Amino acid sequence: MAGRWKNKLRERDVTPEAIWLNRRALLGGLAGASVLAAVAPGRAQAETLEPNRWEEITAYNNFYEFGTAKDDPAKYAGQLTVKPWSIKIDGMVDNPGDYALEDILAKMVVEERIYRFRCVEAWSMVIPWNGFELADLLALAGVQSGAKYVAFETLQRPEEMPGLRYPVLEWPYVEGLRLDEAVHPLTIMATGIYGKDIPNQNGAPIRLVVPWKYGFKSIKSIVRITLTDTQPPTSWNKSQPSEYGFYSNVNPQVDHPRWSQAYERKVGQGLFASKQETLMFNGYSDDVAALYAGMDLKANF
Ligand SMILES: Nc1nc2c(c(=O)[nH]1)N[C@H]1C(S)=C(S)[C@@H](COP(=O)(O)O)O[C@H]1N2
Ligand SMILES: [Mo]
């Protein structure tokens, strides 16, 4: 594709102190160190907040397949086998099949699609991810013209996932995006944090990151991606439809039925730190608001 940015980062490049690329400036066609100065106001939060420490990112997680307590994933996810790993891509694609993760990564490296991105996670963490765009993976599969949605599914392996014994959600965990959301350049498939392999409790070996939506949209340990022409079911919507909609964009004007979402507090800033105002689309309005032009975001919550 003409005009696409590229970079030289390698998947296994372990340089935790590396300069994190300013994604927005890259999208605008700038490159190199000069981009660090070009921080747009809408994204200032993501670019200026210090990333959380490795210990915070990996000790306080939501991954119900390993239990519902925030420290369960760190305790129990170690037993998950993440190699070898493949993703089944099926539905409305030209090249359906099982894609080995190592083949996918090799292709992304060759095509210079690997990148790093400091992202404000929409549930209290700032995480320096590395990975590649979901759009680049979908391009490998060849999305057919009638496809409108992308459905995702997490691994369901009871021997290694003690939380599956409890019917807190319907298993396997499933999520979905509209196709235009899925191919937006901010929607990434993450395979690492701080330049290291993604830890099991954070969704190894590959998970979705959708920076402008609530955390639960970012489905972990993905084994299947299906292109469809109908809106796919999502785990949290199935479990509590009045509380969790399909879109789940960060929207301070739409309160969760049981709590306000107008303010939030980042992990690691201390319990007594003042809460910050929640930003529309988690601060990414300039990049994504156009996706929802003309939509009633209170009805489509
Ligand atoms: N398969 C699966 N994916 C999941 C979840 C889960 O329980 N199972 N929890 C979601 C929720 S509610 C959040 S907030 C994020 C947390 O990601 P993190 O632990 O890497 O910060 O993962 C999301 N993805
Ligand atoms: Mo969450």
Side-chain angles (χ1 to χ4, degrees), residues 61-62 64 70 122-123 173 214-217 236 244:
N61 301 95
N62 271 334
Y64 278 17
K70 302 288 184 232
W123 86 296
Y173 194 102
Y214 290 106
F216 59 87
K217 296 295 284 186
W236 285 98
Y244 304 101

Side-chain angles (χ1 to χ4, degrees), residues 139 204 256:
H256 184 283

Side-chain angles (χ1 to χ4, degrees), residues 77 79-86 101 157 160 198 200 203-205 221:
Q79 58 192 303
L80 181 67
T81 310
V82 297
K83 276 176 193 166
W85 193 272
S86 65
L101 181 55
R157 189 182 289 153
E160 295 182 353
I198 196 167
N200 290 359
S221 305

Side-chain angles (χ1 to χ4, degrees), residues 16-30:
E17 75 286 6
I19 293 169
W20 303 99
L21 300 173
N22 180 321
R23 184 83 177 120
R24 161 175 262 277
L26 278 172
L27 294 173
L30 302 173

Side-chain angles (χ1 to χ4, degrees), residues 56 58-64 67-75 123-124 201:
E56 292 164 342
T58 59
Y60 183 87
N61 301 95
N62 271 334
F63 199 166
Y64 278 17
T68 54
K70 302 288 184 232
D71 58 352
D72 281 340
K75 278 191 209 147
W123 86 296
S124 71
Q201 58 266 42

Side-chain angles (χ1 to χ4, degrees), residues 56-58 60-67 70 73 121-125 127 129 153-155 161 169 171-175 193 198-199 201-203 207-208 214-222 236:
E56 292 164 342
I57 294 169
T58 59
Y60 183 87
N61 301 95
N62 271 334
F63 199 166
Y64 278 17
E65 286 84 338
F66 296 99
K70 302 288 184 232
E121 273 295 276
W123 86 296
S124 71
M125 295 267 185
I127 302 185
W129 298 106
E153 197 177 299
T154 293
L155 176 75
M161 296 174 142
L169 291 172
W171 310 112
Y173 194 102
V174 292
E175 256 305 335
I193 295 175
I198 196 167
Q201 58 266 42
N202 292 85
R207 59 88 61 85
L208 186 69
Y214 290 106
F216 59 87
K217 296 295 284 186
S218 293
I219 180 172
K220 296 176 166 181
S221 305
I222 295 167
W236 285 98

Side-chain angles (χ1 to χ4, degrees), residues 42-148:
R43 293 284 294 287
Q45 194 187 43
E47 310 304 340
T48 57
L49 280 182
E50 276 296 301
N52 282 90
R53 288 179 299 115
W54 178 263
E55 293 71 24
E56 292 164 342
I57 294 169
T58 59
Y60 183 87
N61 301 95
N62 271 334
F63 199 166
Y64 278 17
E65 286 84 338
F66 296 99
T68 54
K70 302 288 184 232
D71 58 352
D72 281 340
K75 278 191 209 147
Y76 303 120
Q79 58 192 303
L80 181 67
T81 310
V82 297
K83 276 176 193 166
W85 193 272
S86 65
I87 302 179
K88 179 188 288 302
I89 307 185
D90 61 1
M92 302 175 76
V93 290
D94 292 333
N95 315 306
D98 293 317
Y99 288 72
L101 181 55
E102 52 185 355
D103 295 345
I104 296 172
L105 284 172
K107 275 213 170 68
M108 296 301 164
V109 169
V110 168
E111 295 181 7
E112 300 176 350
R113 298 300 190 202
I114 301 289
Y115 71 82
R116 296 211 166 100
F117 176 42
R118 177 192 303 194
C119 157
V120 176
E121 273 295 276
W123 86 296
S124 71
M125 295 267 185
V126 181
I127 302 185
W129 298 106
N130 42 296
F132 51 85
E133 292 179 22
L134 173 59
D136 288 329
L137 179 58
L138 296 180
L140 291 182
V143 177
Q144 294 178 347
S145 61
K148 294 195 182 77

